[in-house]
């Protein structure tokens, strides 16, 4: 029965299975990470020295490759010296899950080493400001232009070939130019996000607008809709949910441009924080900060998805029981069977 | 053989009452006049004719059906009348004025469901009224009346995706009628519905038509549907598309389901079938018998 079929082609899974698989998608990588971190005989290529013994280049707290440790241990044994002691560890760049989990809290409490360096929350705030500003500026021009191109072939022909070309130019390539024109502070960073978002935005939104069902436009025409009303009352509402989804995807892409943008000019925001923590070898903070970008991204998207459901009630898939209600109470028709009807195939 | 053959009257035989009906219809003013309409299009440098020389006059409150096999240009005809397509010859006159583009004086109901998914049922019906510059409150009151007429008052705040196919088409009819069009164009509006719902919708449409001052041009490929609904039936032929016959329907009004077995109905249907499938009589002889398993030959 289909009920037992986990691998049905294109079949939606029941909600409980969906939830289970969603949880698993996170649990599996974390489990692998935990095994590598907590099971001492899996990987753990280094020995963390707790007691250097009489090996001269060992010192307490030093991480030594296993092979070197075994060699020195053998030598010390042969010479009858005090033996070095230690336990197997992973490299510092792979902190254990509990350390990274703790860093989600401690990273906020780690004070900057220099007075002019930002705290984590300041870095995050700075990054979010850069993204939001870049995305807003891009959308302010990109959305209307996309709708215009999607609606009128004239504007599509006039704009899209150039935009299509420009979108292949990698945004970071404009970094030096942006710094030369806009200075080294936030402006060039916002500009990179705008360049990275805008061109895709115009094309994607134009495509969504073009997908408007022409039958809806024709229906509106037969109802007396004028040219401008066709755009404002049919084409835009018909594509608004697709545009909204496009914007969610584009916002996700904007985040991927963020790190590139923040190294331009003076490094700033979350990129600066990550770089500094890496330099101080606080890799737990590094992972926590990277994960925070993901968490901010996913939770923003989830919020926008929830908001979309409220903004566009006609897209909610609550098929009510209305379908089963029949307002007709007539008996079955005394009709000759379908075989006696015209045998032509239905035209359109 | 001989005994089983039906003795049908000629399809033109009409009771005096029906003949009188047609006299009265013809005395009414002509709403839509299609004169020598021609549509051709060019593809790969070749000129294709969809149809040529299509003429018909439709009188006020008349119910006209257009039948014909697939591809003979029925939809194209409706679209030209609606102003959504341009003809390549002849003219379409609405109340004596040539049609140049789409307008609210010609309402259209399409086969596909073309309700606006982002508007509630009530807002859908209000759409044309708002386009015509009506205020919200007047449009709303009128929309409520139309929804009442199609029996969907309870669903005024539902969205189209919550409705069944038949209900959607009733909203589409209400939406088109709310504009008070001179003529209602319907292009196979019930073709996508199941047989039972289609039958209900046909009864329903006749009830509405009786109550509302509207002229109907109804496209269908279902011959029974045409015979059940129409005053007159325009039969079109294909390759090239042309008018074969303009038939006066002898079945008396008001129509009801019992008439499906009446002699007039059967005679009319037979006549329509002769047009649409001229050689259907001997067709089965050409179907070869395919043996799959040896189950014996006594299926009949
Ligand atoms: N502008 C056009 N370009 C190409 N083909 C067309 C055009 N207009 C009509 N046709 C063709 O004309 C034929 C008639 O179509 P249609 O009116 O939909 O027939 P029906 O509704 O009777 O099935 C179809 O084969 C269609 O492809
Ligand atoms: Mg058609």
């Amino acid at each position: 029965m289909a009920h037992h079929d986990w691998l049905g082609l294109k079949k939606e899974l029941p909600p409980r299975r969906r939830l289970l698989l969603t949880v698993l998608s996170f649990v599996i990588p974390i489990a692998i990470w935990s095994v590598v971190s907590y099971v001492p005989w899996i990987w753990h290529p280094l020995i963390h020295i707790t007691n250097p013994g009489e090996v001269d280049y060992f010192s307490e707290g030093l991480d030594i490759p296993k092979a070197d440790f075994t060699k020195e241990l053998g030598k010390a044994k042969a010479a009858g010296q005090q033996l070095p002691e230690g336990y197997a560890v992973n490299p510092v760049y792979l902190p254990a899950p509990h350390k990274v989990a703790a860093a989600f809290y401690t990273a906020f409490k780690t004070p900057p080493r220099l007075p002019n360096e930002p705290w984590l929350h300041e870095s995050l705030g700075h990054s979010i400001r850069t993204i939001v500003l870049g995305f807003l500026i891009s959308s302010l021009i990109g959305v209307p232009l996309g709708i215009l191109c999607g609606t009128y072939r004239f504007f599509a022909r006039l704009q899209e070939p150039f935009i299509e070309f420009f979108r292949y130019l990698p945004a970071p390539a404009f970094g030096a130019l942006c710094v030369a024109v806009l200075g080294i502070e936030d402006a060039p960073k916002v500009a990179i996000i705008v360049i990275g978002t805008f061109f895709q935005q115009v094309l994607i939104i134009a495509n969504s607008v073009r997908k408007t069902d022409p039958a809806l436009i024709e229906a509106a025409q037969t109802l007396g809709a004028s040219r401008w009303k066709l755009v404002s009352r049919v084409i835009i509402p018909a594509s608004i949910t697709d545009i909204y989804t496009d914007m969610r995807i584009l916002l996700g892409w904007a985040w991927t441009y963020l790190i590139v943008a923040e190294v331009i000019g003076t490094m700033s925001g979350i990129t600066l924080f990550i770089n500094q923590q890496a330099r101080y070898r606080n890799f737990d903070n590094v992972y926590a900060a990277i994960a925070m970008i993901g968490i901010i991204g996913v939770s923003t998207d989830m919020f926008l998805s929830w908001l979309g459901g409220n903004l566009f009630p006609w897209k909610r898939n609550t098929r009510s029981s209305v379908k089963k209600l029949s307002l007709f109470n007539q008996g079955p028709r005394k009709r000759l069977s379908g075989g006696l009807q015209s045998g032509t195939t239905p035209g359109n | 053989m001989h005994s089983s053959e039906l003795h049908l009257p000629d399809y033109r035989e009409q009771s005096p009452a029906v003949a009188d009906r047609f006299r009265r219809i013809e005395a009414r003013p002509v709403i839509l006049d299609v004169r020598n309409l021609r549509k051709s299009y060019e593809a790969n440098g070749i000129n294709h004719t969809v149809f040529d020389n299509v003429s018909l006059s439709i009188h006020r409150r008349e119910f006209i059906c257009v039948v014909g096999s697939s591809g003979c240009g029925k939809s194209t005809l409706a679209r030209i009348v609606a102003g959504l397509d341009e003809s390549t010859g002849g003219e379409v006159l609405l109340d004596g004025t040539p049609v140049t583009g789409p307008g609210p004086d010609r309402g259209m109901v399409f086969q596909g469901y073309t309700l606006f998914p982002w508007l509630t049922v009530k807002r859908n019906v209000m759409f044309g009224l708002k386009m015509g510059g009506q205020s919200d409150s007047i449009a709303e009151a009128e929309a409520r009346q139309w929804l009442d007429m199609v029996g969907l008052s309870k669903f005024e705040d539902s969205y189209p995706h919550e409705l069944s196919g038949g209900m959607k088409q009733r909203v589409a009819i209400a939406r088109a009628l709310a504009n008070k069009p001179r003529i209602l164009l319907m292009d196979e509006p019930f073709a996508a519905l199941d047989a039972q719902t289609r039958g209900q919708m046909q009864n329903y449409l006749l009830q509405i038509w009786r109550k509302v001052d509207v002229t109907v041009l109804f496209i269908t490929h279902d011959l029974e549907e045409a015979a059940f609904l129409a005053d007159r039936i325009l039969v079109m032929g294909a390759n090239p598309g042309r008018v074969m016959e303009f038939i006066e329907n002898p079945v008396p009004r008001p129509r009801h389901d019992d008439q499906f077995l009446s002699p007039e109905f059967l005679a009319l249907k037979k006549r329509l079938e002769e047009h649409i499938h001229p050689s259907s009589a001997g067709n089965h002889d050409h179907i070869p018998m395919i043996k799959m398993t040896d189950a014996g030959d006594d299926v009949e």
Side-chain angles (χ1 to χ4, degrees):
Chain A
M1 251 185 70
H3 193 74
H4 302 291
D5 190 1
W6 285 81
L7 300 174
L9 287 174
K10 295 208 146 199
K11 283 219 185 79
E12 193 46 274
L13 293 162
R16 287 187 57 185
R17 285 187 188 180
R18 280 215 302 271
L19 183 66
L20 178 68
L21 292 173
T22 306
V23 172
L24 271 181
S25 80
F26 280 90
V27 166
I28 292 171
I30 290 175
I32 294 173
W33 180 21
S34 299
V35 166
V36 172
S37 299
Y38 298 132
V39 181
W41 61 85
I42 290 179
W43 203 35
H44 288 74
L46 302 175
I47 300 294
H48 186 78
I49 308 289
T50 49
N51 177 2
E54 284 178 56
V55 182
D56 51 2
Y57 71 91
F58 283 8
S59 60
E60 198 183 327
L62 192 67
D63 290 349
I64 290 293
K66 236 176 208 163
D68 294 350
F69 183 81
T70 330
K71 201 171 79 192
E72 294 302 334
L73 188 67
K75 274 197 216 161
K77 261 184 192 160
Q81 292 171 328
Q82 197 191 346
L83 299 181
E85 285 166 24
Y87 56 88
V89 290
N90 279 328
V92 66
Y93 57 77
L94 186 73
H98 73 273
K99 286 194 176 155
V100 174
F104 271 93
Y105 176 73
T106 53
F108 284 102
K109 297 281 156 204
T110 309
R113 298 219 177 168
L114 302 172
N116 62 338
E117 283 178 4
W119 289 70
L120 173 57
H121 63 92
E122 288 170 332
S123 301
L124 279 173
H126 194 149
S127 291
I128 292 172
R129 228 171 25 247
T130 307
I131 290 254
V132 168
L133 203 58
F135 194 72
L136 273 183
I137 292 173
S138 170
S139 302
L140 231 52
I141 316 163
V143 174
L145 198 57
I147 292 174
L148 204 63
C149 288
T151 307
Y152 299 106
R153 297 286 145 160
F154 174 83
F155 291 104
R157 266 287 123 201
L158 190 64
Q159 308 281 346
E160 285 185 26
F162 175 74
I163 291 174
E164 191 79 51
F165 157 76
F166 208 99
R167 123 188 128 106
Y168 278 99
L169 310 181
F174 293 87
L177 201 62
C178 288
V179 169
V181 177
L182 298 166
I184 56 168
E185 298 299 328
D186 285 351
K189 304 174 176 71
V190 172
I192 291 295
I193 303 229
V194 172
I195 292 171
T197 309
F198 176 79
F199 299 96
Q200 314 277 357
Q201 194 168 34
V202 174
L203 293 179
I204 289 177
I205 288 181
N207 256 333
S208 289
V209 171
R210 259 194 292 274
K211 274 190 311 198
T212 303
D213 185 355
L216 293 181
I217 297 173
E218 290 182 342
Q221 282 180 307
T222 65
L223 292 166
S226 61
R227 231 177 145 67
W228 166 239
K229 294 270 183 189
L230 280 180
V231 179
S232 65
R233 295 298 162 86
V234 183
I235 293 175
I236 291 177
S239 44
I240 193 76
T241 55
D242 281 352
I243 292 177
Y244 188 80
T245 309
D246 293 343
M247 297 291 272
R248 274 171 55 195
I249 293 169
L250 285 159
L251 187 59
W253 290 355
W255 276 99
T256 65
Y257 283 108
L258 177 71
I259 304 297
V260 176
E262 283 180 339
V263 297
I264 287 168
T266 49
M267 194 185 282
S268 73
I270 193 72
T271 313
L272 176 65
F273 180 85
I274 290 172
N275 264 275
Q276 271 180 341
Q277 295 303 312
R279 195 174 311 144
Y280 305 144
R281 304 183 76 74
N282 293 335
F283 284 100
D284 43 356
N285 283 354
V286 169
Y287 282 94
I290 291 174
M292 272 174 218
I293 298 178
I295 290 167
I296 293 172
V298 168
S299 48
T300 312
D301 194 64
M302 276 163 66
F303 169 75
L304 291 176
S305 165
W306 170 85
L307 186 68
N310 287 286
L311 287 174
F312 315 119
W314 66 94
K315 278 284 167 179
R316 264 184 305 214
N317 270 336
T318 48
R319 284 193 75 90
S320 64
S321 52
V322 170
K323 223 184 150 165
K324 286 170 200 106
L325 273 171
S326 175
L327 292 174
F328 299 107
N329 284 315
Q330 299 169 334
R333 277 195 117 171
K334 285 172 209 146
R335 257 197 173 193
L336 303 181
S337 71
L340 279 175
Q341 289 183 11
S342 118
T344 51
T345 48
N348 357 313
Chain B
M1 270 314 260
H2 298 286
S3 55
S4 68
E5 196 128 285
L6 275 169
H7 287 284
L8 295 174
D10 188 277
Y11 74 98
R12 278 162 294 206
E13 274 175 29
Q14 291 171 342
S15 65
V18 173
D20 188 47
R21 252 183 64 77
F22 280 110
R23 268 195 296 281
R24 276 186 282 130
I25 286 173
E26 260 147 51
R28 293 186 208 144
V30 171
I31 296 278
L32 185 80
D33 204 0
V34 176
R35 289 187 188 158
N36 297 320
L37 201 65
R38 175 187 155 78
K39 172 73 182 176
S40 56
Y41 63 94
E42 204 145 303
N44 306 322
I46 307 165
N47 204 34
H48 299 269
T49 302
V50 181
F51 54 69
D52 200 356
N53 253 321
V54 172
S55 299
L56 77 151
S57 299
I58 307 182
H59 298 265
R60 182 166 175 184
R61 294 204 70 185
E62 199 175 6
F63 200 125
I64 300 287
C65 280
V66 180
V67 298
S69 51
S70 189
C72 69
K74 305 182 296 293
S75 295
T76 308
L77 173 63
R79 291 175 58 82
I80 291 173
V81 173
L84 296 170
D85 271 356
E86 278 175 31
S87 68
T88 41
E91 56 184 349
V92 176
L93 303 174
L94 184 77
D95 292 317
T97 316
V99 162
T100 51
D105 47 4
R106 284 145 293 141
M108 184 131 178
V109 178
F110 303 82
Q111 177 184 342
Y113 308 122
T114 57
L115 297 184
F116 304 120
W118 58 91
L119 295 178
T120 60
V121 163
K122 185 176 70 193
R123 291 259 155 202
N124 262 284
V125 178
M126 286 165 64
F127 187 90
L129 297 164
K130 298 278 294 169
M131 291 298 121
Q134 293 278 27
S135 71
D136 248 350
S137 56
I138 292 177
E140 188 168 342
E142 287 200 26
R144 287 223 167 92
Q145 277 181 11
W146 286 104
L147 283 174
D148 193 34
M149 164 155 288
V150 298
L152 290 175
S153 294
K154 276 188 210 150
F155 299 97
E156 61 172 40
D157 292 323
S158 301
Y159 283 97
H161 76 266
E162 298 170 309
L163 306 182
S164 69
M167 290 159 91
K168 280 185 206 166
Q169 287 305 60
R170 278 148 69 196
V171 178
I173 292 169
R175 182 179 68 172
L177 288 178
N179 259 0
K180 302 191 183 67
R182 297 292 287 161
I183 187 162
L184 182 63
L185 308 166
M186 305 182 84
D187 186 4
E188 309 210 22
F190 308 146
L193 304 176
D194 62 81
Q196 197 189 335
T197 312
R198 196 184 316 147
Q200 292 167 344
M201 292 294 291
Q202 289 161 6
N203 279 312
Y204 220 81
L205 180 60
L206 286 183
Q207 282 175 34
I208 293 169
W209 172 70
R210 212 170 293 136
K211 285 187 246 171
V212 179
D213 176 11
V214 69
T215 309
V216 182
L217 181 66
F218 189 104
I219 311 264
T220 177
H221 67 274
D222 179 343
L223 303 181
E224 283 197 336
E225 184 169 68
F228 184 67
L229 295 174
D231 288 317
R232 286 187 294 169
I233 301 169
L234 185 79
V235 186
M236 287 181 71
N239 299 317
R242 63 200 183 280
V243 174
M244 312 271 283
E245 200 176 356
F246 201 16
I247 296 179
E248 291 185 347
N249 189 340
V251 184
R253 288 197 190 270
R255 304 273 162 78
H256 46 86
D257 293 345
D258 298 331
Q259 288 168 324
F260 278 88
L261 293 169
S262 72
E264 299 100 321
F265 191 92
L266 293 176
L268 173 64
K269 212 175 80 180
K270 185 155 177 287
R271 175 68 184 171
L272 291 172
E273 261 161 14
E274 278 163 12
H275 274 304
I276 308 290
H277 321 283
S279 59
S280 68
N283 255 355
H284 336 277
D285 297 345
H286 305 302
I287 300 171
M289 177 75 189
I290 298 171
K291 286 231 175 199
M292 299 181 49
T293 56
D294 195 10
D297 288 330
D298 51 350
V299 285
E300 282 158 14

